Amino acid sequence: MFQAFANLLANAIKCTPVGGIISARCTQLNDKTCFSVSDSGPEIDPANQDRVFERFSRQELSRSLPGNGLGLSLVRAVADLHAAHIELTNSNPGLNIQVTLPNTPPDQTS
């Protein structure tokens, strides 16, 4: 989970313009823990939001930035491994990515 959170922060830093705002939060809600990273960079078209989690996927505005499009796909893989839910929300401007984890680990017996 540490690597997933680090990737979300790195993505926000990469995509936020100079003078922009990045915020990170972690909260516990009943039987779930949520962490989120928000930035004031470009928004992602809702029709393309699922694509950002594909390996080597790069949005048009980030094609000139360093990176190879693996960061958010790794976030998705780690979230899936821990039975977490990921939600992207445009924040006008910017993007918020929230990862919600169950406080009970997934059953590893199968």
Side-chain angles (χ1 to χ4, degrees):
M1 289 312 304
F2 177 81
Q3 187 63 54
F5 189 67
N7 284 15
L8 290 177
L9 282 174
N11 191 67
I13 290 167
K14 180 176 68 172
C15 295
T16 301
V18 174
I21 297 170
I22 297 171
S23 65
R25 295 180 61 146
C26 184
T27 56
Q28 188 164 349
L29 305 168
N30 300 323
D31 61 341
K32 296 179 174 36
T33 300
C34 303
F35 68 87
S36 64
V37 175
S38 300
D39 64 55
S40 59
E43 296 180 0
I44 297 176
D45 180 350
N48 293 327
Q49 285 184 351
D50 284 340
R51 290 200 64 235
V52 301
F53 295 109
E54 295 174 5
R55 291 184 324 161
F56 307 112
S57 174
R58 305 283 309 265
Q59 297 300 301
E60 191 61 41
L61 293 172
S62 68
R63 290 185 196 273
S64 63
L65 299 173
N68 53 21
L70 289 174
L72 292 179
S73 67
L74 181 60
V75 171
R76 167 72 72 178
V78 170
D80 289 348
L81 181 66
H82 292 281
H85 173 74
I86 302 176
E87 184 176 0
L88 276 69
T89 318
N90 286 322
S91 5
N92 195 22
L95 184 68
N96 178 65
I97 301 179
Q98 178 173 296
V99 179
T100 304
L101 294 141
N103 286 341
T104 307
D107 182 10
Q108 299 291 321
T109 59
S110 49

